[in-house]
Amino acid sequence: MTSPHPALGIDYGEARIGIAATDPVGIMAHPVETIHRHQTDGISRIVQLVQERGIRTLVLGLPVRMDGTEGIAAAKVRAFGRELAAALPGLPLIFMDECLTTVIAQEKLHAAGKKAKNFRPIIDQVAAVEILNTWLDSTLG
């Protein structure tokens, strides 16, 4: 079996897409960048990052409600996932429940003494790290 690493974590949003990546062996996830969708085509930039970093797996955060159901936000993420899968055929795309990842990201930044409103782009990257960490934890079981 080939390694799924490095993997790219994606926190999809209407305005911004947070990107994180694992190291080549999947020990840690780290922030990469925030794609500002009004300035950059998200799909094109992710394709470029996949090529530059030799990415083997995509992990896309899926906003599942607390009761386990999916709403409009999840439908938008799934549509984005279909576009991504079409642009990167053959690359595994995993949807990972992103429940509370943004809240966790905000708490971590706050604990580090950062003001949330000044760090929105970083919050997206930290949320993508949390999505990847959730996936990494699920693969260890």
Side-chain angles (χ1 to χ4, degrees):
M1 181 174 116
T2 61
S3 171
H5 302 289
L8 200 69
I10 304 163
D11 180 45
Y12 175 83
E14 302 260 339
R16 296 175 307 276
I17 301 170
I19 303 292
T22 65
D23 58 83
V25 291
I27 294 171
M28 291 186 65
H30 57 273
V32 173
E33 70 179 65
T34 299
I35 300 167
H36 296 270
R37 298 191 61 216
H38 59 280
Q39 298 171 351
T40 306
D41 177 65
I43 299 287
S44 299
R45 180 63 186 137
I46 291 169
V47 168
Q48 189 177 23
L49 287 168
V50 164
Q51 292 166 346
E52 288 172 3
R53 292 174 165 267
I55 298 297
R56 294 183 177 172
T57 308
L58 299 172
V59 182
L60 181 54
L62 186 66
V64 178
R65 294 180 180 140
M66 295 302 269
D67 67 2
T69 62
E70 294 184 15
I72 294 167
K76 289 178 180 178
V77 169
R78 288 197 181 276
F80 180 76
R82 284 190 294 276
E83 286 183 57
L84 206 49
L88 293 161
L91 199 62
L93 173 62
I94 298 162
F95 288 97
M96 184 59 46
D97 182 356
E98 68 170 31
C99 182
L100 304 178
T101 55
T102 300
V103 173
I104 292 166
Q106 289 171 333
E107 288 173 354
K108 286 186 175 182
L109 286 170
H110 182 74
K114 309 292 185 196
K115 296 272 189 273
K117 75 173 191 159
N118 299 336
F119 289 90
R120 282 196 183 105
I122 294 171
I123 286 171
D124 297 319
Q125 292 176 39
V126 176
V129 168
E130 291 301 321
I131 290 165
L132 268 182
N133 283 335
T134 301
W135 174 70
L136 285 169
D137 290 346
S138 76
T139 62
L140 294 175

